[in-house]
Amino acid sequence: MAQYNGNQPIFILPEDTQRFLGRDAQRMNIMAGKILAETVRTTLGPKGMDKMLVDSMGDVVITNDGVTILREMDIAHPAAKMLVEIAKNQEDVVGDGTTTAVIIAGELLKKAEELLDDGIHATTVVRGYRQALNKVYEILEDISIDSKDQDTLIDVAMTAMTGKGSEKAKKPLAELIVEAVLKVEEDGEVDKKNINIQRVSGASVDESEIVNGILVDKGKADPNMPKEVKNAKIALLKYPLEVKDLETDAKINLTSPSQMQAFLDNEEQMIREMIDKVIASGANVLFCQKGIDDMALHYLSRAGILAVKRTKKSDMNRLEKATGAKIITNVDDLSQDELGEAGIVYEKKIFDQMMIFIEESKDPKAVSIILRGSTRHVTSEIERALEDALGVVAATLEDGKVVIGGGAPEIEIARQLKEYAETISGREQLSVNSFAEALEIVPTTLAENAGLDTIDILADLRAAHEQSAFMGLDVFEGEVTDMKVAGVVEPQRVKKQAIQSAAEATEMILRIDDLIAARGALEAVDKDDNLDDSGMPPMGAMGGMGGMPPMM
């Protein structure tokens, strides 16, 4: 066996691989998380600012919705991606609180870095954070209020929409959302997919309305079709009413005009047979997810059938739910038993869009909201606000638990966590205290974004919580007040999910002590060139958007 020469290097990774060990790896990951949190932090609360995002195609998005901002940004740093994932998960589970989750995670990382710099091991920090999180669950249960009456649901919806471009009409919009949720609620559960929000520009937000049925954002497929059908028998077809193209490179040789005519007659006969099956089923309204041939449209018009082609899959599913129709994948299987029913189906023009309304269904567990607005950008932002409100109203209806907003939960949890920390021995006590301090970033940010003195506000909040757990920050008046009286409420699930997701993402990042990446993947965080004395990269080396590292 050959002897190893100690002077000869051994390479187990490619030469162009970058590797960062121990504190260097932790510092870079924490840095990425903190910068991402700072990017969205200014959007929090009723006084939060907006971001303008322009993609490579020149499309513009103006929003202060946290998850939308993170989705639109081109992020690739692995640690930053974890925070993007918690924002997406927050959106999917609750529908609101995405910005809160990210800034709490960023502050937890910042406090953890201070502990690491003081010589406390990452494992000890993580253990303390876990203890703090378990205590947070208990405190949240104690300060929650059991309520899901309609007034509470409206307050929850209004709180979610505050500061998101819908201030002028948030009360009527909140009432629309609550009405829609109550209509689709079944056995205490809400399927948000059964509520369709359709944007239509060209009017005031006040003119938004709810449709007690389904709205399809397409007109009838042929102008000769009836504009209105009463006692509608509705067929849902996932099958094209047209002659299929050959899947192979086949050629047909036609040597005479009679052969050409015979070929065309055969195509017409095939289409006619398909339409005869639709007519035989008794359907007088047809929604087709695929295309419909011009000749088929002619025959459908002659039969007095209102048809819509290329209907979206989501609309087909809502139609199936509302009308009782079954989606058929082959026209040969269409029969009277598969048809749905509605009192009336009609076409109506709203501003410059032709739409089909399906109303008076027997069990309409699906509704539509027509959202009006002056421009496309306005309606897009208000739609995001409505989707947030929809999520929180559904969560409140399902759980029946709310907490008071305005930073009150975070201050109260922080206060009780600090008391709990006094009962813990060992270095975990420092971690629990840091966790408590990190939660105060929420009321601090609310005050900052409102242009208030954060030190005075935080001191006033802490003093007020010695008397009541419902005291929060009224950013409009710039003072501490009883948020329960003000009607500022949020679902318990929003706070619980935000704090839990932030703590879990922080734990995962802190446990990483070795970072191995292909050269170029982390080009802006090269330890020797880009980290200054504070451990942070100079802003010019960050690349990306808003001082972001190249989160490619």
Side-chain angles (χ1 to χ4, degrees), residues 65-296:
D65 183 60
V67 73
T68 303
I69 294 168
L70 296 175
R71 279 176 176 158
E72 292 291 330
M73 292 170 65
D74 193 15
I75 296 173
H77 191 289
K81 275 187 173 181
M82 294 181 191
L83 300 193
V84 175
E85 285 302 314
I86 71 170
K88 290 179 180 178
N89 187 56
Q90 181 82 11
E91 177 79 2
D92 294 338
V93 173
V94 192
D96 196 19
T98 54
T99 304
T100 301
V102 173
I103 67 170
I104 289 176
E107 194 67 11
L108 286 172
L109 287 169
K110 178 181 176 182
K111 295 296 181 183
E113 186 173 38
E114 293 172 2
L115 295 174
L116 294 173
D117 289 340
D118 289 340
I120 299 175
H121 196 275
T123 303
T124 304
V125 176
V126 167
R127 190 160 56 241
Y129 276 9
R130 284 180 185 170
Q131 288 179 264
L133 182 61
N134 290 332
K135 187 64 178 177
V136 166
Y137 296 150
E138 296 177 18
I139 300 170
L140 266 176
E141 286 296 326
D142 291 339
I143 65 175
S144 295
I145 301 171
D146 293 333
S147 179
K148 57 179 180 180
D149 59 78
Q150 191 161 341
D151 289 339
T152 301
L153 296 178
I154 291 174
D155 285 342
V156 165
M158 290 174 63
T159 301
M161 288 191 290
T162 301
K164 296 182 179 177
S166 55
E167 293 293 321
K168 179 183 174 185
K170 68 178 181 180
K171 179 77 180 287
L173 288 176
E175 291 171 349
L176 286 183
I177 286 291
V178 172
E179 182 183 350
V181 169
L182 292 176
K183 283 182 180 294
V184 303
E185 179 260 340
E186 287 185 284
D187 300 325
E189 295 186 357
V190 178
D191 187 350
K192 292 180 284 186
K193 293 180 181 178
N194 291 331
I195 300 176
N196 176 34
I197 300 174
Q198 182 61 48
R199 304 194 312 258
V200 182
S201 302
S204 169
V205 179
D206 298 329
E207 297 181 43
S208 300
E209 59 182 303
I210 191 169
V211 177
N212 293 319
I214 303 298
L215 172 64
V216 178
D217 60 338
K218 289 179 178 292
K220 56 187 182 180
D222 189 277
N224 296 318
M225 291 176 174
K227 289 179 66 71
E228 180 182 298
V229 177
K230 293 183 178 179
N231 298 318
K233 304 295 181 183
I234 300 171
L236 303 179
L237 197 59
K238 198 178 180 179
Y239 185 88
L241 292 178
E242 53 191 9
V243 178
K244 293 183 178 180
D245 293 331
L246 295 174
E247 296 181 0
T248 59
D249 294 332
K251 292 183 179 180
I252 300 175
N253 293 319
L254 302 175
T255 58
S256 69
S258 60
Q259 288 181 331
M260 171 64 78
Q261 187 61 46
F263 178 76
L264 296 175
D265 290 345
N266 185 57
E267 273 198 348
E268 182 178 351
Q269 181 62 28
M270 292 171 65
I271 291 173
R272 185 58 195 261
E273 288 175 0
M274 288 190 284
I275 301 305
D276 286 342
K277 290 172 184 174
V278 174
I279 296 171
S281 71
N284 53 16
V285 176
L286 170 67
F287 290 92
C288 184
Q289 193 172 332
K290 306 291 184 179
I292 303 178
D293 188 87
D294 288 344
M295 192 176 297

Side-chain angles (χ1 to χ4, degrees), residues 381-418:
E381 181 65 353
I382 297 177
E383 182 185 20
R384 285 187 280 270
L386 286 185
E387 288 173 348
D388 288 351
L390 175 60
V392 296
V393 170
T396 304
L397 193 62
E398 291 170 355
D399 298 344
K401 289 182 179 293
V402 295
V403 294
I404 304 305
E410 289 81 7
I411 287 291
E412 182 62 21
I413 292 171
R415 185 185 71 82
Q416 294 194 35
L417 271 182
K418 289 174 182 177

